[in-house]
């Protein structure tokens, strides 16, 4: 298959010497990838197909293929400027097949043909970072953030992991009939074993909490241990992905003011634009620019605790005083506004009005455990993942 051809013209078509079929030995076969259904007609004309036939074929194909700019693969036969046969399909195999008949084209709607595979990879942390070790082990780079989020309540991936710690990841990926991956992989299993503790988690959404097909659940992925107990705690250990701790809670020499001062929170250094998440269900008490705090958000959580997020590059729309947010919802982006020496998140937790070291806080156990039909569905998922893990080891 050729590379995607955004521009039309003779150079966008590749012909093969193989005939289309014994019945059309004089016809030449062409294979072409175009940028969406709207490009079918012009591309066929550019390949030498009669304009009326090309437009007819494009009109027929547009319905089954749908709107949008997803690539469409065309396999078609031309004989003396006439279209003998055309297959127009998307990446998943869905589309339409047209064949010339006595009274014009006959058509057949092609259904998507996808298979889903579960892959298990296992690796060991190296001296660099989790990202490099995970990718080297075969974890798709788009899943590294999901893996870190799975352990948001159990591990501080900056301070509680070390070279030699063992991780395992299981992810599902769809493949088309040609064996090519379709769409993005989904992480369904994550485990991490350190010298101090180990944790194995399964991603599952109870049936009654699932959104519409293709719609992301508003509360984010749900992770459970092998017994169906949720990992969710009062607050996430860290409200930001992939950041390093640049300044912990406690007394320090202030980097701008130059004198010893209590550092009331924890600083997480990260590039400008890195997402910041609400560490728990809460109501927004304040959101806006506030002196040396820069762009600043203050949340009051359901148990009365407060969390503060300082120096943001921007606060997301909808994060306003009085708004309700759920744990894991993005509220802003890392920046360096206010009294700041570089892009980072200054994060504070207040209990009864007193600042508390967020990394030393005991979050307690989850109160959510699956039961009934939800537990039965979860057990089936867990057993399938475990069976695949056993086969992989």
């Amino acid at each position: 298959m050729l590379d995607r051809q955004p521009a039309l013209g003779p150079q966008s078509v590749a012909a093969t010497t193989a005939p289309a079929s014994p019945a059309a030995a004089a016809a030449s076969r062409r294979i072409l990838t175009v940028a969406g259904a709207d490009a079918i007609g012009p591309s066929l004309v550019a390949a030498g197909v009669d304009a009326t036939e090309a437009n007819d074929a494009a009109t027929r194909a547009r319905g089954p293929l749908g709107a949008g700019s997803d690539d469409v693969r065309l396999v078609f036969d031309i004989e003396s400027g006439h279209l003998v046969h055309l297959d127009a399909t998307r990446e998943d195999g869905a589309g339409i097949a047209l064949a010339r008949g006595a009274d014009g084209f006959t058509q057949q709607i092609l259904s998507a043909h996808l298979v889903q595979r579960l892959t298990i990879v296992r690796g060991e942390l190296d001296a660099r970072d989790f990202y490099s070790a995970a990718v080297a082990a075969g974890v798709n780079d788009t899943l590294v953030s999901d893996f870190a989020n799975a352990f948001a309540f159990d591990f501080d991936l900056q301070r509680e992991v070390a070279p030699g710690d063992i991780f395992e990841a299981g992810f599902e990926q769809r493949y088309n009939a040609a064996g090519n991956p379709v769409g993005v992989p989904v992480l369904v299993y994550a485990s991490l074993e350190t010298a101090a503790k180990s944790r194995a988690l399964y991603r599952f959404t109870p049936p009654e909490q699932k959104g519409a097909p293709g719609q992301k659940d508003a509360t984010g992925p749900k992770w459970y241990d092998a017994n169906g107990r949720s990992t969710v705690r009062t607050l996430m250990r860290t409200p930001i992905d992939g950041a390093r701790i640049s300044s912990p809670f406690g007394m320090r020499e202030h980097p701008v003011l130059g004198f010893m001062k209590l550092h009331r929170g924890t600083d997480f250094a990260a590039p400008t634009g890195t997402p910041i998440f609400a560490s728990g269900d809460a109501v927004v008490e304040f959101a806006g620019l506030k002196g040396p705090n820069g762009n600043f958000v203050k949340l009051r959580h359901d148990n009365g605790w407060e969390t503060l997020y300082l120096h943001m590059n921007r606060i997301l729309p909808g994060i306003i005083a009085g708004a309700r947010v759920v744990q894991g919802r993005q509220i802003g982006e890392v920046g360096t506004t206010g009294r700041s020496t570089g892009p980072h998140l200054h994060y504070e937790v207040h209990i009864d009005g007193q600042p508390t070291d967020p990394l030393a806080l005991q979050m307690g156990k989850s109160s959510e455990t699956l039961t009934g039909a939800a537990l039965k569905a979860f057990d089936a998922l867990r057993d399938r993942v475990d069976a695949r893990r056993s086969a992989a080891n």
Side-chain angles (χ1 to χ4, degrees):
M1 185 170 64
L2 295 182
D3 292 337
R4 174 175 170 176
Q5 302 288 339
L8 301 176
Q11 72 276 14
S12 67
V13 179
T16 68
T17 56
S21 66
S28 62
R29 168 155 291 185
R30 311 288 179 94
I31 301 174
L32 180 66
T33 300
V34 300
D38 291 341
I40 294 176
S43 298
L44 291 176
V45 171
V49 176
D50 174 78
T52 300
E53 293 182 4
N55 291 331
D56 182 19
T59 299
R60 292 170 180 265
R62 194 170 289 113
L65 292 171
S69 58
D70 291 347
D71 286 351
V72 175
R73 185 174 189 261
L74 305 178
V75 180
F76 55 101
D77 304 318
I78 306 175
E79 183 178 8
S80 301
H82 295 286
L83 191 63
V84 178
H85 179 269
L86 168 70
D87 285 344
T89 56
R90 293 202 181 278
E91 191 178 25
D92 61 3
I96 190 170
L98 300 176
R100 176 177 293 281
D103 300 319
F105 290 122
T106 60
Q107 66 183 47
Q108 176 186 1
I109 303 300
L110 304 176
S111 300
H113 178 71
L114 295 174
V115 295
Q116 185 164 275
R117 300 175 193 163
L118 173 61
T119 301
I120 304 293
V121 298
R122 183 178 175 88
E124 182 176 309
L125 294 183
D126 58 24
R128 290 174 293 173
D129 53 45
F130 171 71
Y131 178 91
S132 60
V135 172
V139 179
N140 187 295
D141 59 356
T142 63
L143 299 178
V144 174
S145 178
D146 285 346
F147 190 99
N149 286 340
F151 297 106
F153 300 97
D154 296 292
F155 287 94
D156 173 6
L157 294 182
Q158 299 300 317
R159 303 195 307 174
E160 295 182 341
V161 297
D165 291 344
I166 303 299
F167 66 88
E168 195 173 8
F171 56 91
E172 292 180 330
Q173 173 72 66
R174 295 180 302 162
Y175 295 85
N176 61 21
N180 299 317
V182 175
V184 297
V186 176
L187 188 71
V188 296
Y189 174 79
S191 73
L192 184 58
E193 181 179 348
T194 70
K197 57 185 176 181
S198 63
R199 198 81 161 120
L201 305 174
Y202 302 79
R203 180 175 180 164
F204 177 74
T205 300
E208 69 273 11
Q209 295 181 23
K210 290 183 179 179
Q215 181 180 20
K216 185 177 179 181
D217 180 60
T219 60
K222 296 176 175 62
W223 291 93
Y224 297 84
D225 66 15
N227 297 313
R229 186 183 301 111
S230 171
T231 63
V232 174
R233 304 293 188 268
T234 303
L235 295 181
M236 298 165 61
R237 292 291 298 274
T238 56
I240 184 173
D241 291 340
R244 65 178 177 86
I245 297 174
S246 55
S247 184
F249 179 92
M251 295 298 297
R252 67 166 185 176
E253 182 178 332
H254 195 282
V256 176
L257 302 177
F259 55 80
M260 295 299 294
K261 187 176 187 290
L262 175 64
H263 190 229
R264 296 160 57 94
T266 300
D267 288 349
F268 297 96
T272 297
T274 300
I276 298 169
F277 307 101
S279 61
D281 295 350
V283 173
V284 180
E285 280 202 343
F286 181 89
L289 193 62
K290 189 174 183 180
N293 295 338
N295 287 322
F296 165 69
V297 170
K298 182 177 183 180
L299 304 180
R300 175 171 288 276
H301 299 274
D302 296 345
N303 62 355
W305 295 1
E306 295 174 324
T307 53
L308 289 66
Y309 311 77
L310 283 64
H311 309 306
M312 292 186 185
N313 181 56
R314 74 183 183 105
I315 299 169
L316 261 60
I319 305 303
I320 58 176
R324 178 79 180 172
V325 295
V326 296
Q327 189 173 61
R329 176 179 174 180
Q330 185 178 353
I331 59 174
E333 297 175 349
V334 168
T336 185
T337 56
R339 188 183 295 154
S340 170
T341 58
H344 73 286
L345 168 67
H346 175 91
Y347 173 62
E348 297 184 16
V349 176
H350 291 188
I351 299 177
D352 296 329
Q354 298 300 313
T356 304
D357 183 355
L359 298 183
L361 201 58
Q362 296 299 315
M363 301 301 179
K365 294 184 177 181
S366 171
S367 60
E368 181 190 351
T369 300
L370 297 172
T371 59
L375 180 60
K376 185 176 181 180
F378 170 79
D379 287 345
L381 167 70
R382 179 203 59 207
D383 292 347
R384 180 170 63 86
V385 172
D386 287 351
R388 183 67 185 89
R389 290 176 56 229
S390 297
N393 294 331

